[in-house]
Amino acid sequence: MPALMIALVKIRNPAKLQEYAAAAGPTVAAAGGVVLGRGKYKETLVGAIDVDNAMVARFPSSAAAHDWYHSAAYQALIPVRDEAMEATFFVLEEPS
């Protein structure tokens, strides 16, 4: 069952964000994922959230998203990610 990985981001360092994004994209693709969209946060319709950007990627399954996150290639990027942003990543299974 396909899964969506959603990243909610509070930017710390825009230059590091560019470095991270350039390196992270290929790791998503290598894991069978496709970035569906990313952009600047615009509006909360209900509730409260404190983010600057968001990204959505589709993976073939929640296991594929999990494996991507825990892959050696992605784990090597975490120090850059942590300099670039505060992030919350979560996975949603798409309904069948």
Side-chain angles (χ1 to χ4, degrees):
M1 170 177 323
L4 300 175
M5 191 281 297
I6 300 168
L8 303 176
V9 172
K10 185 76 174 169
I11 298 170
R12 289 182 177 154
N13 181 324
K16 285 291 184 181
L17 179 63
Q18 294 297 324
E19 177 184 345
Y20 168 80
T27 70
V28 170
V34 176
V35 174
L36 300 177
R38 64 178 172 218
K40 186 175 181 175
Y41 167 79
K42 294 303 288 183
E43 169 184 24
T44 298
L45 299 175
V46 66
I49 192 168
D50 184 22
V51 299
D52 299 312
N53 289 19
M55 188 275 293
V56 178
R58 176 178 283 129
F59 285 88
S61 65
S62 59
H66 175 91
D67 292 346
W68 160 76
Y69 185 86
H70 294 283
S71 70
Y74 185 73
Q75 290 294 301
L77 297 176
I78 289 177
V80 177
R81 183 197 70 198
D82 289 348
E83 284 185 63
M85 68 182 82
E86 291 178 40
T88 299
F89 290 14
F90 58 96
V91 177
L92 304 173
E93 284 189 334
E94 292 188 292
S96 54

